[in-house]
Amino acid sequence: MRTSHGETYKKCTSTLLKLILVATVIVIFIITISIQWNTQIVFGVYTKSVPTNVTPCAYLACSHSSNCTTRNKTCCAYVLKRSLDFLDAFFRRHNLPYVIIYGSLLGAVRNQTIIPWTRDIDIGFFNWTYLRSTSIQNELYQHGFYLFHTLDLTRICVHKDTLDKSLLLTQNVKQPPPTQIFHLHAYIDLYLATNSVNLTRNSSIYSIEFSGKFLSHISFKTNVTIDNQTYPTVDNVQEHLVHFYKKDYMRDVIPRRP
Ligand SMILES: *[C@@H]1O[C@H](CO)[C@@H](O)[C@H](O)[C@H]1NC(C)=O
Ligand SMILES: *[C@@H]1O[C@H](CO)[C@@H](O)[C@H](O)[C@H]1NC(C)=O
Ligand SMILES: *[C@@H]1O[C@H](CO)[C@@H](O)[C@H](O)[C@H]1NC(C)=O
Ligand SMILES: *[C@@H]1O[C@H](CO)[C@@H](O)[C@H](O)[C@H]1NC(C)=O
Ligand SMILES: *[C@@H]1O[C@H](CO)[C@@H](O)[C@H](O)[C@H]1NC(C)=O
Ligand SMILES: *[C@@H]1O[C@H](CO)[C@@H](O)[C@H](O)[C@H]1NC(C)=O
Ligand SMILES: *[C@@H]1O[C@H](CO)[C@@H](O)[C@H](O)[C@H]1NC(C)=O
Ligand SMILES: *[C@@H]1O[C@H](CO)[C@@H](O)[C@H](O)[C@H]1NC(C)=O
């Protein structure tokens, strides 16, 4: 069949219009899903098996007062310390290495404790495949902790139905369930520590990936003390702290987060 140039042109434009329409529908669909899931990276590998919903987390109204301690049960530092101790034992039992980093390392080096006004414990983690397995997620849940992924980080919170009621002492049941990470006052952040021998040519040097890479020497021999207990950390503690908090990290007041 012979068609005129005009007809071919019309066919082409209508096909093009259809394509644009389909693309628009797909984009709107993606945006809707992204908003519903309340996360930035719906298509990241992370979200494949890890929930992105914050709602199962307990709404804790724990205190961030500067005179708070890890022994005062109304303080967020208490919940954080208890969570860290549970995870330390849990990770050891599963042979999952981890390291204390960022603000948690800063608090440990400066005051041998958890910074009272912090919202999170920062952990560098190595084996995502294992951590994100359904069996690990279920086991964490049975012990009162919920693993989820939001705003580009895998995190762990105390969930609403934890049997350990001392972790829920400050729970505010009148509040609607949390819908955003900003509603949570105490949680664990897990940062991916990857080893690329090509990058470093040294298998004991890891890269901690968040807001710029930072290379850490990790031998699993260096410990840091928090409330008379030791936890594993990076080998280059000074370098790490200077890199993230500048050289006056022992004196400078680290700004509080909102
Ligand atoms: C526990 O912390 C809260 C909040 O900062 C404070 O009001 C309270 O006095 C503290 N209790 C003790 C026994 O230190
Ligand atoms: C802790 O600090 C709060 C204010 O941040 C103050 O009202 C309270 O009296 C302090 N408690 C103690 C035991 O010092
Ligand atoms: C911790 O130590 C630093 C300096 O070493 C100090 O400025 C700060 O007030 C101390 N207290 C807390 C709760 O972080
Ligand atoms: C992660 O854990 C799984 C399951 O134990 C294991 O098969 C795998 O080798 C581990 N990967 C790394 C990089 O340690
Ligand atoms: C690492 O480097 C080797 C040789 O230098 C190369 O063959 C290999 O593909 C590289 N691997 C990655 C993951 O880049
Ligand atoms: C790898 O890095 C560690 C820590 O910096 C160092 O002790 C070790 O000698 C290095 N190994 C090699 C083969 O360069
Ligand atoms: C670090 O702590 C672990 C476990 O608590 C212990 O086995 C190890 O000997 C400690 N290392 C150092 C250098 O203190
Ligand atoms: C740590 O140990 C010292 C001395 O043994 C003790 O005075 C202090 O209360 C302990 N701190 C905590 C948080 O357990």
Side-chain angles (χ1 to χ4, degrees), residues 77-101:
Y78 170 82
V79 177
L80 290 174
K81 178 65 167 42
R82 291 283 316 277
S83 305
L84 174 60
D85 284 346
F86 167 76
L87 288 176
D88 178 68
F90 184 83
F91 290 158
R92 280 174 203 273
R93 192 161 73 242
H94 286 277
N95 285 317
L96 291 168
Y98 80 95
V99 281
I100 298 281
I101 55 171

Side-chain angles (χ1 to χ4, degrees), residues 17-253:
L17 280 174
K18 271 182 203 159
L19 277 176
I20 291 173
L21 192 70
V22 168
T24 315
V25 168
I26 289 174
V27 166
I28 290 172
F29 180 72
I30 289 169
I31 292 172
T32 314
I33 293 225
S34 310
I35 292 168
Q36 276 184 358
W37 284 14
N38 189 24
T39 182
Q40 288 190 331
I41 49 137
V42 177
F43 297 104
V45 285
Y46 306 138
T47 54
K48 272 187 185 148
S49 63
V50 180
T52 55
N53 184 359
V54 182
T55 304
C57 295
Y59 203 116
L60 300 182
C62 53
S63 169
H64 286 125
S65 161
S66 56
N67 55 20
C68 254
T69 68
T70 55
R71 277 164 294 174
N72 182 331
K73 290 187 179 176
T74 69
C75 291
C76 298
Y78 170 82
V79 177
L80 290 174
K81 178 65 167 42
R82 291 283 316 277
S83 305
L84 174 60
D85 284 346
F86 167 76
L87 288 176
D88 178 68
F90 184 83
F91 290 158
R92 280 174 203 273
R93 192 161 73 242
H94 286 277
N95 285 317
L96 291 168
Y98 80 95
V99 281
I100 298 281
I101 55 171
Y102 296 156
S104 305
L105 182 55
L106 181 73
V109 167
R110 298 214 306 193
N111 306 81
Q112 290 77 52
T113 190
I114 289 164
I115 297 175
W117 51 87
T118 194
R119 284 172 174 259
D120 50 23
I121 294 282
D122 300 310
I123 282 179
F125 208 79
F126 301 87
N127 195 331
W128 291 116
T129 324
Y130 200 20
L131 184 69
R132 294 199 175 102
S133 67
T134 312
S135 68
I136 288 288
Q137 281 180 52
N138 288 345
E139 205 183 323
L140 280 170
Y141 198 86
Q142 277 155 28
H143 285 92
F145 295 92
Y146 169 69
L147 183 119
F148 61 105
H149 191 96
T150 193
L151 292 180
D152 220 3
L153 274 186
T154 299
R155 307 168 202 250
I156 292 173
C157 68
V158 170
H159 68 66
K160 291 186 185 85
D161 302 317
T162 181
L163 296 175
D164 185 344
K165 297 303 172 206
S166 66
L167 289 172
L168 295 179
L169 272 183
T170 63
Q171 186 177 24
N172 187 344
V173 286
K174 287 183 193 139
Q175 280 281 352
T179 54
Q180 291 182 45
I181 188 67
F182 312 106
H183 295 152
L184 303 185
H185 289 241
Y187 51 90
I188 311 284
D189 280 336
L190 297 147
Y191 293 83
L192 177 59
T194 51
N195 173 258
S196 155
V197 178
N198 274 20
L199 178 70
T200 63
R201 301 192 172 279
N202 184 329
S203 59
S204 79
I205 296 182
Y206 283 78
S207 160
I208 295 170
E209 319 229 345
F210 197 75
S211 56
K213 286 184 183 175
F214 178 72
L215 299 181
S216 279
H217 313 162
I218 298 170
S219 64
F220 306 110
K221 282 187 194 128
T222 311
N223 291 337
V224 76
T225 302
I226 297 174
D227 284 1
N228 296 345
Q229 275 174 269
T230 65
Y231 303 88
T233 191
V234 296
D235 286 356
N236 52 339
V237 170
Q238 302 305 319
E239 195 188 340
H240 182 96
L241 293 177
V242 170
H243 181 83
F244 289 106
Y245 302 108
K246 309 295 173 245
K247 65 178 177 9
D248 281 337
Y249 67 83
M250 283 306 271
R251 280 185 283 122
D252 269 8
V253 176

